[in-house]
């Protein structure tokens, strides 16, 4: 397992709004990052789910 922390900025068409207190996990089976919920001052609480596959 490679544990290096190399970051690459990826531009996508659709992104979640900035937020705090969201839950995030890595789905090893599908190799996706999953983000759920969170909170921001202007919009309040979120109950949306976002999936990122490394490209979009």
């Amino acid at each position: 397992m490679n544990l290096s922390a190399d970051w690459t900025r990826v531009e996508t068409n659709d992104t979640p709004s900035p937020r705090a207190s969201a839950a995030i996990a890595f789905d090893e089976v599908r190799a996706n990052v999953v983000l759920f919920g969170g909170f921001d001052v202007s919009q309040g609480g979120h109950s949306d789910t976002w999936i990122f596959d490394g490209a979009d």
Side-chain angles (χ1 to χ4, degrees), residues 27-50:
D27 179 346
E28 289 186 44
V29 174
R30 294 177 181 90
N32 292 331
V33 176
V34 181
L35 178 139
F36 176 75
F39 178 84
D40 72 65
V41 175
S42 65
Q43 296 178 357
H46 296 278
S47 61
D48 51 353
T49 301
W50 292 83

Side-chain angles (χ1 to χ4, degrees), residues 6-29:
D6 296 327
W7 292 88
T8 302
R9 185 176 181 88
V10 177
E11 297 293 332
T12 62
N13 295 327
D14 199 16
T15 60
S17 62
R19 59 191 67 196
S21 301
I24 191 166
F26 182 70
D27 179 346
E28 289 186 44
V29 174

